[in-house]
Amino acid sequence: NTPIKVSVTPISSTAETIKQSIYFVDKDKKLDLLTHILQNNISESVLVFSRTKHGADKIAKKLQSSKISAEAIHGNKSQNARQNALNNFKSGKTRILVATDIAARGIDIDELKYVVNYELSDVAETYVHRIGRTGRAGSEGSSISFVDGLDLLNLRDTEKLIGMKIPVVKDHPFHTDNLVVEKR
């Protein structure tokens, strides 16, 4: 007599409060682009996603060498080290947290405005999970994804999954229109 309807948003949907953008960039210029954006466009905390543990460490070290406070969080770090990195990020002591997908599962950071996909995942659904770290509880957020030749197929699969074309930002010093699909 008193039915209740319960529904779950499908994994293929992204929050409307998240502004999504794509930056086309050659693979060897991604670190330079990330540093440029963090020094010139974004002053807030940023969660950066890397495909690999080694990549997460490399990105964090490069940012540190550019005087940007950053820490990496991934499965090769102890639980204590991961918790310390997360606490430093949440408290503002560390501005940039570079994470792999496994380490980022369950991370809930209040009022996180920016997520950067340094590389797109091979699994399109992961994109939805990654950018879902921002734009929570009705807050606005931004997702920036770097796309090189290796990521072009992943971009196509991601856009097909979410049912939209993600806008491309060309107004940056490392933009390229000459990407060619590369095989892994």
Side-chain angles (χ1 to χ4, degrees), residues 41-54:
N41 302 82
I42 300 173
S43 60
E44 292 97 335
S45 296
V46 179
L47 178 57
V48 177
F49 283 100
S50 169
R51 189 180 293 120
T52 66
K53 299 168 194 172
H54 172 73

Side-chain angles (χ1 to χ4, degrees), residues 54-184:
H54 172 73
D57 287 334
K58 181 180 171 185
I59 294 164
K61 284 186 177 113
K62 164 66 173 164
L63 295 176
Q64 291 165 0
S65 72
S66 298
K67 307 282 189 267
I68 298 170
S69 66
E71 289 186 69
I73 183 172
H74 54 69
N76 279 3
K77 300 212 179 242
S78 69
Q79 178 63 32
N80 196 31
R82 289 193 303 262
Q83 196 58 53
N84 285 339
L86 185 56
N87 289 341
N88 289 342
F89 184 67
K90 286 182 174 184
S91 72
K93 183 177 178 184
T94 301
R95 183 173 152 224
I96 311 302
L97 185 63
V98 185
T100 58
D101 293 316
I102 298 299
R105 298 276 177 204
I107 288 181
D108 190 18
I109 302 156
D110 293 335
E111 299 177 21
L112 179 65
K113 291 186 179 175
Y114 293 95
V115 169
V116 172
N117 289 302
Y118 188 82
E119 297 129 338
L120 289 177
S121 172
D122 296 336
V123 180
E125 290 85 0
T126 300
Y127 175 83
V128 176
H129 175 75
R130 285 178 174 186
I131 73 167
R133 304 296 99 204
T134 185
R136 299 179 86 112
S139 296
E140 300 216 342
S142 292
S143 163
I144 298 169
S145 298
F146 295 171
V147 174
D148 63 20
L150 290 171
D151 292 318
L152 284 173
L153 291 175
N154 296 334
L155 174 61
R156 186 192 68 207
D157 293 344
T158 298
E159 289 178 332
K160 184 177 176 184
L161 175 75
I162 65 174
M164 69 174 276
K165 198 102 170 114
I166 304 169
V168 175
V169 173
K170 294 184 177 186
D171 185 24
H172 64 85
F174 304 100
H175 175 76
T176 182
D177 283 319
N178 300 319
L179 294 181
V180 177
V181 175
E182 295 177 35
K183 302 278 187 215
R184 287 199 198 287

